[in-house]
Every structure is written in structure tokens, then in C-alpha cells.
Amino acid sequence: MSESGDTDMKFKRIFGLVMDSVGTGAAPDSVNYGDEGADTLGHVGHYYAGKLALPNLAKLGISNLRDTPIEGVPVTDAPKAYYGKMQEISAGKDSMDGHWEMMGLPVRKALSTYPNGFPADLLKKLETFSGRKIIGNRPESGTKIIAELGEQQMAKGDLIVYTSGDSVLQIAAHEDIIPLDELYKICEYARSLVNGPENLIGRVIARPYVGPDAEHFTRTANRRDFTLEPTDETDMDRLQAAGVHVVGVGKINDIFSGHGIDEGYHNESNMDGMDHVDHVMQEDFTGFCFINLVDFDAMYGHRRNPKGFGQALMDFDQRLGTVMANMHDDDLLMITADHGNDPTYTGTDHTREFVPLLAYSPSFKQGGSLGIRSPFSDFGATVLDNFGVAGNDAGHSFLADLN
């Protein structure tokens, strides 16, 4: 692995972990997105009625950063981490927007969305390329539309095309009917059609599923995101150009279209992702590891399943204990999220929320408050500051506050 020549860095390794969709209360502009009152962590805690057990996150200060504690997760008088919230400025609430903004590239112009389905000329091109009929074509929950149309898709070899409130074009197909390689090629072609100017879409998502019938269909871990190419340099590009090793875990590689990443790992699940984190932590390197754990979002947030969401948080918290125990004194762990997805809220879309910010190192004597950080780009600016790499002034480092 590459080694940075900066001997004055505070931390040799920084692990940035994104709990995909784990928001912590409605953002000030939530009304613009129809998300007033959303609170992913708060409402999951309320659903569990005081039985949401997150001892490691509690020690770091997950309830301290909130106006009201999470039920069952006490405020601590001696937080082990520096804690705060981040507020997004991007013109959207999708994963791409949140991750890009963290890495110094806020999305200033709203991307295309399709509340009435995709235009006929776009679908015609997809049908001509694939040789398959398109069915669906509306905003819908993925599990619902697959349950509704999956048997037809299997019988006739069609493509299920759908969207959401975000800038996404999703294509679902049964793995036994349309092989993964074919589905990916269709999605790559779709990606080529929606790079602007008329249709500018953040992500084209391949959504393969398996199962014999509507009652047993399940989406698989072979999902792939074909994301809009970053429109400018990101903080990961800057780190890589400076010789700092950059690792991507989970859908990080997809979100950034492979840019600025030296080493990548695809996750089958949150727990598989944490296995990858454990593996990377055993490696001797100087650099940044950017991690996304998507199950909170894909498995429970969109499906409006607060019970599953809470269990996923508790499972993550247990694995977090192992990560903390394996950290070196010159390691930094920063935990955050890219948006909210309140599993008790109306609809099935992401929710515009503050996201938590926890920064922990075994070298800290005690943590403290980082307040509200905006934009998300403060996250990446802190990573750059640590490694002595110049940024684009999109964010402001809080490295000096971490002692």
C-alpha cells in the first residue's frame, strides 16, 4: 500500500463509515421535500419502546448529539467520541448527493425526477437495445412492484422499470430469466442515455431478484449502481493524487464510478461489510477507508420496517465494539449517514434529515460537541486536512477540535 510522506499527520488511518439512511431528525429544509417531522433514529427508538440496545453508539454520544435522546439509548456524561450533526446543502436527498457532498462535491442543481414515469422515447430506446418489453414505469417500492409484476416478467422476459422520489432509474429482472451480465449491460446502456442535458439521472440501479413466485421473491446482493460520473474532482481524487491510499467498501465504488479508489470491496450485507472493515483494519497502510452499509436503507428504510431497522442497528452496534477494540491510537473512526429513511414515515422514499456525526479515536481522553456542521463537505475537508492535502474550500475541517 502507498504511504503518505506527511509525518505531521494526526491520524495514520481514517475510517469513514456511512450508516446508509440513518438520519437523526428533520432538517430545516425538510418542508421542501415533504418530510416534516421525519426522525429515523428517534422513531425507531420509539418503536422499540426503550428496548433499542446500542451500548457502543451510546458510549460514543449518539444520544448526546440529539435535542431529545433516543429511547433506550442514554445520554452519557463522558462521551468517548466527538459528536454532532451534519446538515446537507445538496439539491437532493439521494445517496449520491450525500456521498458526493461529503467528498467536497455538493450537488447544486437538482437532478431529473420522474413522478409520472419515464418519457416514451427513453423507454423505446431501452426496448430496442434490449429486445425486451418494459413494464411498470412508475414511482414505486421495489419489493411491491416486483411482487406485482415479477411473475409476468418471468413468463415473458420483460424488464420491470421503476423509479422513486429520487433521481433513479431502476431495472428489475429475475436472475434465472435475465442473466446478470445481460442486466448489467442493459443498465450500462441506460446510463448512457441519462447523462443530460434533457434527462440527467443520478443513478441507474440493477435490481436482480430470485424466487419461484410473488410470495417468495427476494432481491439479491447482486444489485449494482451505475452512477453519474462525478462532475468534478472529489476529495478522494485529491487524496489519491497525493499518494494517500483510498479504500472503498460497499457501494462507494459505484457511487463514485470507481474514481479516486485504489482498493474496493463489494458488500453482500451489512455484516459482510463489517467483515471487510475488520479485514482492512488488519492491513498496514496510511490512508482513508470509506465505507457504506446499505442494509438500513435497502432492507428496512424503503420497506418501512422499523423492527428490522432497529435490529440492524443493534447488530451493527455489536460489530462496532470489535472495530473500536481493534483500533490503533493513531486511527480515527468517523461515523455518519448520507440522508434519512424514516421507516415509520409515509411513502417509501428517503427523508431529508440531519445526519449524525461521531468521531472516535482510542487516543481521545474524552469527547465533546462538534455542533451542527454544514455542508457535509466538512467531513471530507477533515480527512484532507489530516493528510496535508489541499481541498476546494467546499467544507471546513474540524480536525483541530479532535484532541
Side-chain angles (χ1 to χ4, degrees):
M1 292 199 175
S2 300
E3 295 289 333
S4 170
D6 186 351
T7 58
D8 296 327
M9 70 184 74
K10 185 175 288 190
F11 304 103
K12 181 179 178 182
R13 306 186 300 182
I14 296 180
F15 297 86
L17 193 152
V18 179
M19 302 182 295
D20 199 307
S21 87
V22 182
T24 189
D29 61 354
S30 61
V31 63
N32 299 333
Y33 295 84
D35 294 332
E36 288 179 284
D39 183 359
T40 300
L41 278 171
H43 289 154
V44 170
H46 182 69
Y47 176 87
Y48 271 78
K51 296 182 179 179
L52 187 67
L54 304 175
N56 290 304
L57 286 168
K59 291 174 186 175
L60 296 181
I62 192 72
S63 272
N64 293 56
L65 62 83
R66 293 173 51 83
D67 296 331
T68 56
I70 305 164
E71 288 184 43
V73 184
V75 170
T76 176
D77 293 332
K80 292 182 176 292
Y82 288 86
Y83 58 86
K85 295 186 286 190
M86 296 202 300
Q87 180 181 342
E88 188 171 12
I89 64 169
S90 288
K93 54 178 180 175
D94 189 36
S95 290
M96 190 197 82
D97 307 308
H99 285 80
W100 281 21
E101 185 171 324
M102 280 184 231
M103 291 294 106
L105 189 58
V107 179
R108 304 285 187 178
K109 181 180 178 181
L111 302 178
S112 303
T113 55
Y114 299 87
N116 299 311
F118 298 102
D121 60 335
L122 175 61
L123 299 182
K124 181 63 176 176
K125 290 176 182 176
L126 273 177
E127 287 186 330
T128 300
F129 176 83
S130 66
R132 298 180 180 276
K133 180 183 176 182
I134 287 175
I135 55 177
N137 189 31
R138 65 176 187 267
E140 189 59 89
S141 156
T143 52
K144 183 177 178 181
I145 203 166
I146 289 171
E148 177 189 335
L149 299 177
E151 291 182 357
Q152 177 182 342
Q153 190 274 318
M154 290 180 69
K156 297 184 178 181
D158 300 335
L159 296 171
I160 302 172
V161 172
Y162 63 105
T163 186
S164 72
D166 297 312
S167 182
V168 294
L169 188 161
Q170 306 187 76
I171 305 178
H174 197 288
E175 290 189 2
D176 292 344
I177 305 302
I178 300 181
L180 288 172
D181 285 348
E182 181 182 349
L183 178 60
Y184 294 159
K185 286 178 182 176
I186 294 168
C187 289
E188 286 175 349
Y189 175 72
R191 174 72 267 168
S192 74
L193 300 177
V194 293
N195 294 324
E198 184 176 353
N199 296 296
L200 185 62
I201 295 179
R203 290 186 295 160
V204 174
I205 306 175
R207 290 287 198 176
Y209 64 96
V210 294
D213 53 48
E215 293 185 0
H216 299 93
F217 289 145
T218 57
R219 295 188 293 186
T220 75
N222 293 317
R223 159 189 172 157
R224 278 193 61 187
D225 292 38
F226 299 82
T227 307
L228 183 70
E229 292 268 341
T231 54
D232 205 341
E233 277 193 333
T234 71
D235 291 341
M236 292 196 298
D237 294 317
R238 297 179 182 98
L239 290 167
Q240 188 180 59
V244 178
H245 195 73
V246 180
V247 183
V249 175
K251 65 180 186 181
I252 297 298
N253 188 77
D254 289 347
I255 289 172
F256 292 92
S257 301
H259 292 270
I261 298 170
D262 297 303
E263 180 183 355
Y265 298 87
H266 171 74
N267 292 346
E268 300 290 327
S269 63
N270 276 5
M271 294 302 99
D272 182 53
M274 293 305 289
D275 288 343
H276 292 139
V277 173
D278 291 342
H279 169 75
V280 174
M281 290 191 76
Q282 299 306 311
E283 297 184 331
D284 182 18
F285 69 100
T286 297
F288 175 55
C289 179
F290 202 17
I291 304 137
N292 175 280
L293 301 179
V294 75
D295 284 1
F296 305 110
D297 183 68
M299 299 293 292
Y300 309 112
H302 287 300
R303 300 183 189 185
R304 295 303 189 250
N305 180 353
K307 181 178 180 181
F309 203 116
Q311 187 59 58
L313 282 169
M314 291 189 283
D315 292 343
F316 165 71
D317 190 88
Q318 287 190 332
R319 295 296 298 268
L320 176 59
T322 301
V323 169
M324 293 168 63
N326 289 336
M327 289 176 67
H328 305 154
D329 283 350
D330 57 356
D331 286 340
L332 175 67
L333 172 66
M334 295 199 295
I335 300 173
T336 189
D338 49 349
H339 49 71
N341 201 346
D342 187 340
T344 71
Y345 209 69
T346 58
T348 60
D349 291 335
H350 297 151
T351 44
R352 182 76 161 192
E353 299 183 45
F354 287 109
V355 298
L357 175 63
L358 298 167
Y360 168 75
S361 174
S363 61
F364 295 162
K365 294 181 175 62
Q366 183 172 314
S369 177
L370 292 170
I372 296 176
R373 313 294 310 199
S374 187
F376 284 7
S377 302
D378 287 10
F379 187 96
T382 302
V383 178
L384 293 181
D385 189 11
N386 180 75
F387 294 109
V389 177
N392 63 350
D393 298 324
H396 300 89
S397 170
F398 50 82
L399 184 70
D401 297 324
L402 307 179
N403 298 303

